Amino acid sequence: MPPRGASNRGGSRGNSPFRGASRGRDATRGDVQAGVSPVGLARSVHTRTVGVRRPGYGTAGRQLAIVTNSFVTSIPDETIRHYDEFASNMDRHMRILLKNLQEQVAPQIFTAKTVFDGRKNLFAPYELALGSSNSRQVGSWVLVLCPQFILRKFDVILVPQTKSSDRPPKVYKIKLTKVNEINPEVLRAYVSGRYSIDEEVLTAIMKFIHSNADGKSLNVVVRMDPSEKYPFNVRSFFTDKETKNIGMGIVLWRGFFQSVRPGIGRMLINVDISTGMMYRPGNLIDLCLEFFGRQNPNILAPSQGLPDRERLRLQRFLMGVKVVTPHTAGSRPNAPPRVIKKLSSAGANALSFDMDGRKITVADYFRSRENRPLRFPANICVEVGSGALLPIELCQVPPGQIMKKQIPPEKTKDVVEFSTMKPAERFRSIANGLNTVLAYGQSEYVRSFGMSVDTAAGPLPITARVLQPPKLKYGPGSKQPTIQPRDGAWNMMDKKFFKPADIKTWVVVSYESQRRFSPDAAREMVAGLVNACGTVGMRVRDAQPIIRWENAQGKVADQLRAAGSAAAEKAAKEGHPGGPSLIVVILPDGGNDIYNAVKHFGDITSNKCFRAKIQYWANVCLKINPKLGGINTIPDPESVKAITDPKNPTIVMGADVIHPAPGSQDRPSFTSVVGNVDSDNAKYIATMRVQTSRQEMIDDLKDMCKEILGKYADYRSKVERQPQPTPRRLIFYRDGVSEGQFQQVLDLELPLIK
């Protein structure tokens, strides 16, 4: 068997689905006209809602016929049985084990298709024959009837024992417990407006339609068939029909997003295009070399100069990747892949272990015992979950492994380019997927639950309303002081900021070499920025600031601090004491580590400034001005009277929580609340806290709101000189919560806001 590492062998887990729509010729299906109840809706006056009941349907704006990327789906007719599945030693093999249970161990119980959410919930469109006696032995099953729940235990084998193996197969114990019955009629009544939102409705939506996993909705029934055939990640699955290698060991796959949602008078399934990041399949050495952008396999040898810093960077990238060793003597047919836990700090020819009373290196073991002399014995090994050490040249990476880590900053552009599609192209891809990959009509699971998706009728057309955008007001000196945005855009040409800030003392720091970014280019950049500031009304006192070139390998914070001190000293000599209000940092291509360090120190950076056009600098000014206390533009008070009424001062707040990336461990969640401090709802501030990892409800919301309200009152009192500094109305936007969390927001967060 492969050698094992030392006893302390602990290891140091994409895509934004499109939500748009395009114009359509026919909007007869699903229309909701102003003042008219939608199809199938006859809302009872006795039904209640979470929050405020919607009084009616919109009348503002102009009507527009559009086609959505949604399709009508039916609601099952039969009662759905919900079973809670548990196994203490099932780990990552749950799907395979459940499949073996239904097809091999107990086919007489599972007479039709059931669905599994990948965690612990199993749903069946019929009653499973788990028995009725209190306790009896049936083959390899233990049958128990609890006072409240029907329960049964099973022994399931993952991989059968082979003739060449002297080890018995591992047996997994699975326990199924019936915990609930879901009546689809409740869901049908709910979408028709005849039933209030309650636990039973939430159970039907969240448990059956969207079983919760890792805080994200998981569509169980419609997802089951493709999840058995393709790599999947929560609500999306991916195929290799369209791929792109973007380097660093990452291959992009085109995929499909799908989610069943309750609509007005019907259930809908939303289908879209998504993008998945996959590890490059093939030999692990090739993957490692592509990660480093090198071709010589010897760079993976610590004895030949592999820095420990780079080894740990590669380890973070590979941790969790599954590998197989198909050509080693101990490999079993159809054996599950092994998961990389860490990388060795030494090469295979330097790692030794005890075997038969003597020391032997990993390289010698594979040469003498496995008859596999290594081509690169000095290269590092991977340590897998069992503790075994495997030379990387013997490892193969199976295709279709989703990279559940953050996108490398230098690859963000490639991912965006691959993911971006025009609406017409997206609809064509969705249509192709419906006919080939999705194929709801051919899914045994969809048919087993009595569901059907009306793809023949095509995407759902509806009537939308295009609202009139508010007018925007710019500052004195603007050629056109008030403008009306059109199609979500407008031009800054000949316009002054409503409240331009002044740049008194500033400094430029370049991390690009003088060979690539010469002093002449730097002076041209400064002139371009100064000119753009003047165009929008910002005054720059020092048109010739200090320009410094720094070593990219140095300590960024110390370098920026020294640059700030030099700028302050220059300003003092010129009779303008005070530190710099702005440090402009020039980044080289691929300078992501420097970027992160600069962002930690401050806010404004630039990496596209050589021979930049005036429009580029205008966009830079849009970012600089608010950070220096200025206001770019305000909504014209006449067009947004609801929030600019002087008799009813209004504060607008928004809150969200950002959670650690998938696979991250021991990292907190970050909470943030933003709010305006001015009467025009144009100047916003933010406050942030940390809290328990992956907790959505905000613990410190009371103090955060109090801080924003205090600064609102302070600004209106001291800057605007308003006689009534406190607000009379508060509009609060809460992002990032699902239907099942609406009531939690009302119960837990609303009292803190009040």
Side-chain angles (χ1 to χ4, degrees), residues 16 35 89 97 149 173 207 251 265 296 332 337 423 449 480 676:
S16 301
N89 59 346
L97 290 167
F149 306 119
K173 296 187 179 297
K207 289 293 185 183
V251 180
N296 184 2
R332 292 177 293 161
F449 280 81
Q480 187 182 4
N676 66 293

Side-chain angles (χ1 to χ4, degrees), residues 119-120 136 220 270 294 310 316 326 378 414 418 425 431 480 486 506 526 548 566 582 635 733:
R119 295 288 173 173
K120 58 178 295 186
R136 64 187 177 92
V220 186
N270 174 240
R294 306 285 291 276
E310 292 297 278
R316 289 191 294 270
D414 295 309
F418 183 80
E425 296 174 346
Q480 187 182 4
R486 183 174 182 179
W506 62 303
V526 169
R548 296 165 64 106
L582 176 68
Y733 291 91

Side-chain angles (χ1 to χ4, degrees), residues 501-506 533 538-541 581-582 624 628:
D502 294 339
I503 302 176
K504 297 178 180 179
T505 302
W506 62 303
C533 288
M538 298 177 66
R539 291 180 296 178
V540 182
R541 185 188 60 80
S581 57
L582 176 68
I624 293 177
L628 296 182

Side-chain angles (χ1 to χ4, degrees), residues 1 7 26 71 225 234 260 299 326 337 415 429 460 474 554 697:
M1 61 183 295
S7 58
D26 176 23
F71 303 83
D225 192 72
V234 191
V260 176
I299 69 160
V415 175
S429 294
L460 181 70
Y474 280 90
M697 296 299 110

Side-chain angles (χ1 to χ4, degrees), residues 454-477:
D454 189 5
T455 58
L460 181 70
I462 62 173
T463 299
R465 309 193 74 87
V466 181
L467 302 181
Q468 184 79 354
K471 294 181 179 179
L472 298 179
K473 188 175 182 180
Y474 280 90

